[in-house]
Amino acid sequence: MTASLLSGFGLGLSLILAIGAQNAFVLRQGLRGEHVVAVVLVCALSESLLVTSGVLGFGALVEAAPWIVPVFRWGGAAFLVVYGARAAWSAWTGGAALAAEGQGGGLRRTVLTALAITWLNPHVYLDTVMLLGSISTQAPVPLAFGAGAIVAAWVFFGALGFGAVLLRPIFARPAAWRVLDAGIALVMWAIAAGLLFG
């Protein structure tokens, strides 16, 4: 059970680490100190619902159609390889530093933006429902795997939102993003290799 929990935590964290619209929004709100609690709650609760539906739904689907596991294993591995390549490319070419400027918004507008960035992003379904759901079927205890991924979401969004002030000097430099992207690429490729050869 512990192995499944840690495996889910590791994969969940590595998938959520990729800097996209959602993470940039949470980081921006944290840097500004605006509605951080609401944004962290919206993102973490949304991630929890998506991971849960992936783990529970995929288990039922696999029982009905066992042939689907190899299809998603290969598809998940291909996605991770491409995802890792994108992160590696970003690390190689360098990215822009995070800007903390801009006008703030009210609580309602901020929550609606967080919901839209989360639920209208097609990648979130691929990462949580499809990828985590399919990989959870290979874990000794799939529910523990899902719980680990959910814990990773809460830890990550909490740390990102509330720890953003500490990161402000670091992420003002593009080099910090390059190091982060390089790490993400290596993790994604390692997970893909585990899916294909493990």
Side-chain angles (χ1 to χ4, degrees):
M1 182 169 169
T2 304
S4 295
L5 187 72
L6 292 175
S7 178
F9 183 89
L11 181 57
L13 191 61
S14 65
L15 287 173
I16 210 167
L17 271 174
I19 300 301
Q22 186 187 45
N23 293 353
F25 182 72
V26 174
L27 187 56
R28 186 186 71 179
Q29 292 303 117
L31 287 169
R32 291 176 172 176
E34 293 175 356
H35 313 299
V36 180
V37 173
V39 169
V40 167
L41 285 175
V42 165
C43 293
L45 284 170
S46 296
E47 193 81 9
S48 300
L49 289 171
L50 288 161
V51 169
T52 301
S53 66
V55 171
L56 295 180
F58 226 83
L61 182 61
V62 166
E63 285 182 21
W67 56 266
I68 205 159
V69 172
V71 170
F72 279 103
R73 176 184 295 160
W74 285 94
F79 170 75
L80 289 170
V81 167
V82 171
Y83 208 82
R86 287 179 54 202
W89 179 254
S90 182
W92 178 262
T93 59
L98 178 72
E101 298 111 18
Q103 296 180 359
L107 177 61
R108 182 172 182 265
R109 179 179 169 191
T110 301
V111 168
L112 289 174
T113 302
L115 286 169
I117 286 172
T118 301
W119 290 92
L120 298 179
N121 179 2
H123 290 292
V124 77
Y125 298 100
L126 190 56
D127 287 355
T128 55
V129 178
M130 301 296 286
L131 189 60
L132 284 171
S134 64
I135 294 173
S136 73
T137 62
Q138 301 171 39
V141 186
L143 290 178
F145 180 91
I150 289 170
V151 170
W154 283 87
V155 168
F156 176 77
F157 285 124
L160 186 62
F162 298 111
V165 174
L166 301 173
L167 298 175
R168 192 173 208 171
I170 296 170
F171 283 95
R173 301 179 211 151
W177 293 104
R178 295 180 81 167
V179 170
L180 181 62
D181 283 332
I184 290 167
L186 292 174
V187 168
M188 293 296 159
W189 288 337
I191 295 167
L195 276 177
L196 294 174
F197 308 114

